[in-house]
């Protein structure tokens, strides 16, 4: 009986819209905010990883969600949550980079397991791309989100996601020496 209720609660959370979750979280619901975290942590991680080292990204994701929880009451339009959250994360990453300087390769080696040299080169090249392309590519390549998932979680149209991925891949290939 208890597992059936838990399954029903999970199904209801999955069907809940972002807007209804934001409104519930604004009303103090930690469960609603946990669901927002579950839906958006990969997007936030990709957003900060496009600017900071892998070793710092997890801390900044935590900071972004802490800030979001604290400032959620100031969000006037619940539907704006995805963009608002990414802006919070982006600003944290930019401030971090200003404070600590550009990413050093040794910082990316501090994660377990350490990435192979090709992955490091790709991550370095990704960080040199325009931010819109870098973030979209990080969501796709690092976080494993599909185009429709990226669109849903960022508020971009599916067409914009496709364009950003296409142009981003083209620039990334050129940076990595494999351009056509």
């Amino acid at each position: 009986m208890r597992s059936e209720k838990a399954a029903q609660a999970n199904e209801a959370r999955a069907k809940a819209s972002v807007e209804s979750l934001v409104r519930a979280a604004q009303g103090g619901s930690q469960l609603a905010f946990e669901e927002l975290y579950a839906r958006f942590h990969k997007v936030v991680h990709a957003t900060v990883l496009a600017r900071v080292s892998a070793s710092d990204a997890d801390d900044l994701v935590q900071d972004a969600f802490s800030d979001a929880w604290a400032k959620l009451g100031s969000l006037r339009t619940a539907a704006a949550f995805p963009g608002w959250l990414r802006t919070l994360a982006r600003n944290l990453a930019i401030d971090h980079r200003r404070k600590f300087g550009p990413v050093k390769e040794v910082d990316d080696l501090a994660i377990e397991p350490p990435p192979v040299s090709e992955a490091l080169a790709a991550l370095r090249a990704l960080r040199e791309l325009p931010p819109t392309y870098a973030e979209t590519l990080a969501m796709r390549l690092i976080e494993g989100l599909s185009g429709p998932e990226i669109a849903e979680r960022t508020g971009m149209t599916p067409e914009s996601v496709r364009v950003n991925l296409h142009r981003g891949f083209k620039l990334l290939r050129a940076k990595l020496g494999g351009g056509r």
Side-chain angles (χ1 to χ4, degrees):
M1 185 72 151
R2 194 175 283 190
S3 63
E4 184 178 316
K5 282 190 176 193
Q8 288 173 343
N10 284 339
E11 186 176 326
R13 274 199 314 259
K15 289 181 180 177
S17 71
V18 170
E19 292 87 0
S20 64
L21 289 169
V22 169
R23 284 191 292 276
Q26 286 175 320
S29 171
Q30 285 185 306
L31 285 175
F33 195 75
E34 288 172 12
E35 180 61 25
L36 289 168
Y37 176 86
R39 290 188 189 186
F40 290 98
H41 77 276
K42 288 182 178 185
V43 170
V44 171
H45 188 262
T47 299
V48 298
L49 189 60
R51 288 173 177 80
V52 303
S53 71
S55 61
D56 292 328
D58 290 338
D59 290 338
L60 290 176
V61 169
Q62 183 67 33
D63 292 348
F65 278 98
S66 292
D67 284 359
W69 178 251
K71 297 174 181 177
L72 199 55
S74 69
L75 181 63
R76 292 186 197 151
T77 307
F81 179 80
W84 178 78
L85 179 62
R86 288 180 55 226
T87 299
L88 283 176
R90 190 178 299 116
N91 289 341
L92 284 169
I94 290 168
D95 290 346
H96 183 274
R97 192 161 177 171
R98 277 189 198 127
K99 185 175 182 178
F100 296 103
V103 177
K104 297 170 200 78
E105 190 169 301
V106 69
D107 294 334
D108 281 329
L109 291 173
I111 61 172
E112 290 295 328
V116 295
S117 62
E118 293 88 359
L120 282 174
L123 191 53
R124 194 175 320 113
L126 184 133
R127 288 187 182 122
E128 293 173 3
L129 298 178
T132 301
Y133 301 146
E135 290 174 12
T136 308
L137 285 173
M139 288 177 217
R140 179 71 186 108
L141 298 173
I142 298 168
E143 300 300 337
L145 297 175
S146 68
E149 289 172 324
I150 294 169
E152 175 188 336
R153 289 179 174 99
T154 62
M156 294 180 353
T157 64
E159 294 78 20
S160 293
V161 171
R162 278 195 295 277
V163 167
N164 286 351
L165 287 173
H166 175 77
R167 291 178 181 169
F169 275 124
K170 186 176 179 180
L171 290 171
L172 186 60
R173 272 193 300 274
K175 286 200 174 289
L176 293 172
R180 290 185 219 169

